[in-house]
Amino acid sequence: MTNFAMWSRLKSPWVIHFNSGACNGCDIEIVALLTPKYDVERFGIKLEPSPRHADVLLVTGSVTHQCAERLKRIYDQMPQPKFVVAIGACACSGGVFQGNYNVLGGVDKVLPVNAYIPGCPPRPEAIIDGVVKLLNALKAPPAPKTVKEPEIVVEKMEEVKPDAKQ
Amino acid sequence: MPNSNIDIVKILESKLSGKSVQILPGQLGTATIKVAPGDHRDVFRALVEADEYTAISAISGLDLGANLGVYYHVRTSNAFLTIEVEVPKNNPKIQTVNDIAPSAAFHELEVSDLFGLIVEGNPRSGHFVLPETWPEGIFPLRKDVNASEVKQNPPLPEEKSDEGKLVKIIIGPQHPALLEPEKFAVLVEGEIVKAVQPRIGYVHRGVEKASESRTYIQDVYLVERICGICNSCHATGFVEAVERILKTEVPPRGKYLRTIILEVNRIHSHLLTLGHAGLEIGYETLFQYFWRDREPIMDLQEMLTGNRVISSSLTVGGVRRDLKETDVPKIRSVLADLRKRLPFYTEIYQNEPSIRARMQNVGTLKREDALKLGVVGPVARASGVDIDIRKDDPYEAYAEIPFNEITKTAGDTWARMNVRMDEVEESIKIIEYALDHMPTGAYRIKVPRVVPAGEAISRVEAPRGELFYYVKSNGTTMPERVKVRTPTFANIPAFLTTAIGETIADIPPNFVSLDPCFSCTDR
């Protein structure tokens, strides 16, 4: 079951997009990903409107004070395992808005971030590359086995064997 | 241009004779009018009586030391006036003008939130732009406040309000139909919308305050990042105002190049919205088509400016890179390809039954309401209000370039989308004319880094409407105050009015037809 879950996660990651105080530049590039020129649906990446169905949270923007609570709540609503991708210079570090009175400056001030994609805004190719890198990173270490394999007691079986011959 | 024979300054001089009013022609637009608090209401009354196009473009708050300056920037049919009022900082009370000019409502609340102005007759309940966690009594745009060190309160739990038999539907801040976080609480009775309560400020990044601690050159990059879609328009608004303080004239080639960049920006923004409207009404094929045809325009923008989205091409004194002669045929071929596609899209927006069913007679904004609420851009033009800054107050090379101002009379969602559809064609014409008549010579001039003390305004017709900038310099390398009023801020009242009485299903097409941009609105 774990292998199946991992396979489906890698082959069809559902992403949710949240703008936490961005200038729209990164956001239109995320939407551009879905359109014919870039078309990320060919990789199985689907933009999902509800956090409850999403695997990956794409966050843009420098995280304003008013959005921070909401960002946390969206993250909490996502099922495990979940991944956060910070898209754009603002989401990575606060960007040009760093130090302003109403921004926290970066998604990692609020959530654990799995991948950073810098750029102002990053090109759609860069966003695809970032998400694919994240997926490959998931693949690299084999998923930890949570279920213990049943032990085979060899001696007992041998004891049974003579009976089978009879 | 509407009724261009009204001489508003003369009318004001005759109507306000005997009052303590000082009219200074030629400053901050057509004229600056200095009045004592209280008398500003008489000025507004006189203006509204004289000219139906009177609307408040913006209200700038200013920290003048002991006093708070309240500058009302008012546009009339052919003039742009600034009405200056000063109130003492320790008792910052002013009477509202909301009852005379209803377009003031939002602007007054904003100055109240950011400067602590107490507006009598338009009181603020809770914060307007600032977050709920912001402590009361601290106003970030005042000079004595170190805003980035303000300690915010812990977040409060959301209040449950009792709406009686009305049902409250909350749209946002995270919602599939919104690309940006903003909250609209819609009160419905059955299917019918009874009221819409907006909560803006989710994208408020404090750009106006931040611009005061950066140099003019750094500010160009900062204001571009107010909005990723109409970034060139923001840059134009800012550099135009700075150039007016510096009294510099940009070389003609620089002006033409700016015009081309602005129009490429407009085409990309309009295609984006026309496609997005398709998505909102469940017509996803149209969305994919429009966005496919938008990609060559993005490539064009990259070729012209070096960047796909945020162009960072304009600078004080001109543009940062010249147009290569070898690029001109490429630009022409991209525009020719787009022009070939336009009849197909126009046909869809004019005659497609599903478009007509979802958009016709939805969100109808009557002409008198459009004038009263002071809406701008395609929203105003779709209601028969012929305002276009490119025609009314030409900047860059627009005075020399012939083009048509698109207006419609229906005022519904359908008319608004069709105004944008027709404007794409006009933008192509403007770019082609600019390429044909491109002047030779320098494309930028060197300007001093220290800007002399002074103040200036500038207005730009962004894809969403009139974009307003006010810049005040104190003779250093950093501005004293930068005020930005963005088109969506002026257009939101139109949605709040037209949504009432319609069904919930009409909200998405109505809303997207304003082409809302909240990163602009909140700044």
Side-chain angles (χ1 to χ4, degrees), chain B residues 57-313:
Chain B
S57 263
I59 302 178
S60 305
L62 271 96
D63 188 343
L64 304 169
N67 288 347
L68 276 186
V70 186
Y71 290 11
Y72 296 85
H73 305 281
V74 185
R75 63 166 186 271
T76 63
S77 57
N78 58 351
F80 194 81
L81 306 167
T82 300
I83 297 160
E84 293 185 11
V85 188
E86 282 184 28
V87 290
K89 217 182 204 177
N90 50 19
N91 185 23
K93 279 189 184 161
I94 198 163
Q95 285 170 301
T96 182
V97 290
N98 192 14
D99 49 338
I100 305 166
S103 48
F106 270 30
H107 301 292
E108 288 182 340
L109 293 176
E110 193 201 62
V111 184
S112 162
D113 206 7
L114 297 175
F115 279 94
L117 183 76
I118 299 165
V119 186
E120 290 171 337
N122 187 11
R124 172 169 60 85
S125 67
H127 286 297
F128 182 67
V129 195
L130 294 172
E132 302 299 354
T133 52
W134 190 266
E136 270 294 346
I138 297 176
F139 306 106
L141 258 64
R142 288 197 184 180
K143 290 282 177 193
D144 52 354
V145 174
N146 188 350
S148 44
E149 279 171 16
V150 170
K151 190 115 174 54
Q152 306 236 351
N153 296 330
L156 298 164
E158 274 189 33
E159 293 171 23
K160 288 252 178 346
S161 56
D162 184 27
E163 310 296 344
K165 61 179 179 175
L166 298 178
V167 178
K168 194 179 206 173
I169 297 178
I170 293 178
I171 301 174
Q174 195 273 328
H175 192 270
L178 300 172
L179 286 179
E180 295 170 87
E182 216 73 282
K183 194 158 103 181
F184 290 89
V186 183
L187 298 176
V188 291
E189 190 182 348
E191 273 280 296
I192 305 298
V193 176
K194 291 289 173 190
V196 185
Q197 302 162 343
R199 174 68 176 103
I200 65 166
Y202 282 87
V203 210
H204 181 63
R205 290 148 292 170
V207 172
E208 288 181 9
K209 180 83 172 181
S211 63
E212 292 166 13
S213 57
R214 285 162 170 80
T215 66
Y216 285 95
I217 298 297
Q218 288 172 324
D219 273 342
V220 178
Y221 300 99
L222 180 70
V223 297
E224 277 197 324
R225 280 154 181 83
I226 289 176
C227 176
I229 302 174
C230 49
N231 55 77
S232 309
C233 301
H234 279 276
T236 312
F238 181 74
V239 298
E240 277 261 320
V242 176
E243 282 157 8
R244 279 177 200 173
I245 301 175
L246 282 165
K247 299 192 173 61
T248 350
E249 189 69 16
V250 177
R253 192 178 174 84
K255 286 187 175 178
Y256 269 75
L257 286 172
R258 280 184 185 179
T259 309
I260 292 177
I261 293 166
L262 288 169
E263 288 307 314
V264 169
N265 210 221
R266 187 183 318 278
I267 295 177
H268 122 67
S269 174
H270 278 357
L271 292 181
L272 180 151
T273 310
L274 289 162
H276 188 208
L279 192 65
E280 296 293 316
I281 61 166
Y283 193 167
E284 201 171 328
T285 318
L286 189 66
F287 161 67
Q288 300 281 1
Y289 270 28
F290 266 114
W291 280 63
R292 186 191 67 190
D293 284 331
R294 180 177 156 272
E295 281 300 330
I297 301 295
M298 301 305 282
D299 294 343
L300 199 64
Q301 188 154 309
E302 189 177 356
M303 196 175 77
L304 278 167
T305 67
N307 261 325
R308 241 176 84 85
V309 177
I310 306 270
S311 67
S312 298
S313 186

Side-chain angles (χ1 to χ4, degrees), chain B residues 422-447:
Chain B
D422 295 352
E423 280 185 358
V424 175
E425 170 73 31
E426 292 301 318
S427 294
I428 295 177
K429 271 194 224 161
I430 294 173
I431 299 172
E432 287 178 341
Y433 184 94
L435 288 174
D436 290 338
H437 298 80
M438 179 66 73
T440 51
Y443 57 91
R444 71 180 287 190
I445 48 163
K446 285 223 162 195
V447 290

